[in-house]
Amino acid sequence: MCEDYGRHFIVYRKDMGGQARHDLTGLLGTLRRKNLGRIGEEVPGSDYQGLQQCLSDSPWEHGPLMAQVAGEAARQLG
């Protein structure tokens, strides 16, 4: 599923999709209290600095991503 959204996480020709996948895995995981530090510890292959960069500092545009999600939800729900 993440592959369908990967194009939204390419910033200045750098693919941030791996970091976005780690973020999503952590946010959807079973941790009761979620923050970047805990997600970095819980999700294999992730690290705090990479998560911080992707969520806070990376200039990827959330608008096109949300438009794609909304369009797919509308098609599914009718």
Side-chain angles (χ1 to χ4, degrees):
M1 184 176 110
C2 289
E3 293 171 5
D4 296 338
Y5 301 97
R7 65 187 170 90
H8 298 290
F9 299 100
I10 297 174
V11 180
Y12 303 123
R13 297 185 183 167
K14 183 175 181 183
D15 186 356
M16 300 298 293
Q19 286 299 148
R21 182 173 289 125
H22 286 142
D23 298 346
L24 183 60
T25 300
L27 292 171
L28 296 176
T30 59
L31 289 173
R32 185 171 179 177
R33 293 174 42 110
K34 297 175 183 169
N35 59 46
L36 292 181
R38 302 259 338 244
I39 290 172
E41 294 169 0
E42 184 74 15
V43 178
S46 65
D47 65 277
Y48 179 85
Q49 184 175 3
L51 294 168
Q52 174 72 28
Q53 171 70 28
C54 185
L55 289 177
S56 301
D57 301 328
S58 183
W60 62 274
E61 294 290 330
H62 72 279
L65 172 65
M66 295 307 296
Q68 181 179 345
V69 171
E72 291 178 12
R75 280 190 295 280
Q76 291 291 323
L77 299 173

